[in-house]
Amino acid sequence: PLHLLRLAALARRADLIHAHDGRSHVLAAAAASGRPVVVSRRVMFPVRPWLYRRAARCIAISRFVRQVLVECGVPEEHIAVVYDGVPALNPPARRTRVIAPASSDPMKGAALVRQASALAGIPVHYSTDLAGDLAQDAALLLYVTHSEGLGSAALLAMSAGVPVVASDVGGLREVVTHEQDGLLAANSASAIAAALSRLVEDGALRARLGEQA
């Protein structure tokens, strides 16, 4: 495990330091000793401007995150967008359940999922093994969140040809093209329930969106 003294010792032998999360950004900035630092930014929250302006280059996970960095004062020419990749999953053996990622993070919209599920009268399985459940019996993925840099869970479902209903926020707008390879919904229980009901009731639409995803 890296701590500041160990990182400083390693940095003296390095040509380049690449930091992947907020804590490592701070450590890298403190230990760099003049070496160039590349930082990856994966979330959409505002950043410490001094930290990112000192980086030689910034990697943003989406155009949306890139814009957040620009608005925080990071020079545009220092930012590259590199999207996440996901494993390519096989299509599910059966298509029987509505899947939603299990999360205790209030920003991930679990309360909205419960409200929309009750309003639509459609049960939702909360998955702690998303890749496994998608490959087993997913009919669609419901991905509700108040904040999203990109949406790797949506990409994972799309790789398996599982249609997605996702919140119309952040980087998810770059992952899901509404009505083409998934559905985007406003973060209200009624809007999510309507999109969920539409996909559950329309098998042809599910098949088309999943195929194009």
Side-chain angles (χ1 to χ4, degrees):
L2 288 179
H3 51 77
L4 185 58
L5 292 178
R6 176 165 171 73
L7 184 59
L10 290 169
R12 287 196 291 271
R13 308 202 305 268
D15 299 304
L16 176 71
I17 300 171
H18 186 181
H20 289 267
D21 61 27
R23 178 176 179 273
S24 66
H25 295 176
V26 175
L27 288 173
S33 302
R35 273 69 174 180
V37 176
V38 174
V39 298
S40 290
R41 184 67 180 174
R42 310 178 62 82
V43 294
M44 57 185 283
F45 309 116
V47 302
R48 301 179 181 92
W50 65 270
L51 186 60
Y52 287 80
R53 284 198 294 263
R54 290 176 60 182
R57 290 291 187 273
C58 299
I59 296 174
I61 198 173
S62 63
R63 294 193 304 272
F64 183 82
V65 171
R66 179 183 185 275
Q67 186 58 35
V68 171
L69 290 171
V70 170
E71 291 171 358
C72 289
V74 180
E76 290 189 50
E77 62 272 17
H78 284 192
I79 308 169
V81 174
V82 180
Y83 291 106
D84 260 359
V86 297
L89 301 181
N90 292 322
R94 303 181 304 280
R95 295 178 181 266
T96 57
R97 291 197 293 185
V98 176
I99 306 293
S103 176
S104 59
D105 183 350
M107 293 303 292
K108 290 301 181 182
L112 269 178
V113 171
R114 290 192 296 271
Q115 293 166 18
S117 172
L119 193 59
I122 296 170
V124 173
H125 169 68
Y126 296 92
S127 173
T128 57
D129 176 15
L130 191 57
D133 285 334
L134 286 169
Q136 182 179 353
D137 59 358
L140 65 92
L141 176 74
L142 180 58
Y143 192 72
V144 178
T145 178
H146 297 284
S147 168
E148 193 61 56
L150 182 63
S152 296
L155 285 172
L156 194 65
M158 294 167 77
S159 83
V162 174
V164 175
V165 174
S167 294
D168 188 9
V169 299
L172 282 166
R173 295 167 179 151
E174 297 170 52
V175 170
V176 178
T177 304
H178 184 58
E179 298 281 357
Q180 179 175 316
D181 51 29
L183 297 180
L184 293 171
N187 270 343
S188 72
S190 59
I192 296 164
L196 180 59
S197 297
R198 183 182 171 199
L199 268 191
V200 166
E201 294 165 5
D202 191 338
L205 177 62
R206 288 199 310 275
R208 177 174 67 81
L209 296 180
E211 176 68 22
Q212 294 181 170

